[in-house]
Amino acid sequence: CRRFDWESVVKWLAQSRVDNSVLEEKIFEFHLELSGRSRRCLNNASIFTVRDLCATTEFNLTTLKNFGEVSLQEVKQFMKKRKLKLKP
């Protein structure tokens, strides 16, 4: 019988959790990662923080005016980099 290492499990869980400060970051500050068009579209849709973006579906984003496939791919890459996803 192999002994279970709870310390490593707790450490892994702590590392995999999303830091609350990441969720509160303002979308408009990511001018190097998101284009001006993407940031303006999100801002016009009242999506101001990463938390707001996590609560948005891909379908909702595609219905935004001037938010096309390129903007959607930017947002997906932005979220993937932070190990986050859009709402299903």
Side-chain angles (χ1 to χ4, degrees):
C1 181
R2 188 173 175 211
R3 187 177 169 166
F4 201 72
D5 183 11
W6 282 106
E7 247 180 58
S8 61
V9 171
V10 170
K11 186 177 180 181
W12 177 80
L13 282 172
Q15 290 172 346
S16 66
R17 287 192 181 143
V18 177
D19 186 8
N20 212 20
S21 64
V22 171
L23 294 174
E24 295 306 320
E25 290 179 336
K26 304 287 185 210
I27 296 289
F28 210 77
E29 295 173 358
F30 294 103
H31 58 276
L32 297 177
E33 296 179 62
L34 294 172
S35 67
R37 176 185 296 249
S38 296
R39 288 182 283 122
R40 279 190 299 279
C41 288
L42 294 172
N43 191 51
N44 290 340
S46 300
I47 300 172
F48 302 116
T49 64
V50 175
R51 182 184 307 276
D52 296 338
L53 193 54
C54 288
T56 305
T57 65
E58 188 174 319
F59 176 77
N60 287 348
L61 290 177
T62 58
T63 62
L64 299 176
K65 184 179 179 182
N66 296 325
F67 197 93
E69 188 62 34
V70 174
S71 295
L72 181 60
Q73 292 308 315
E74 283 180 9
V75 167
K76 283 182 170 181
Q77 186 66 26
F78 174 83
M79 298 293 277
K80 184 178 180 181
K81 197 173 185 180
R82 286 158 181 76
K83 298 179 182 167
L84 299 171
K85 293 182 181 180
L86 294 170
K87 185 177 175 182

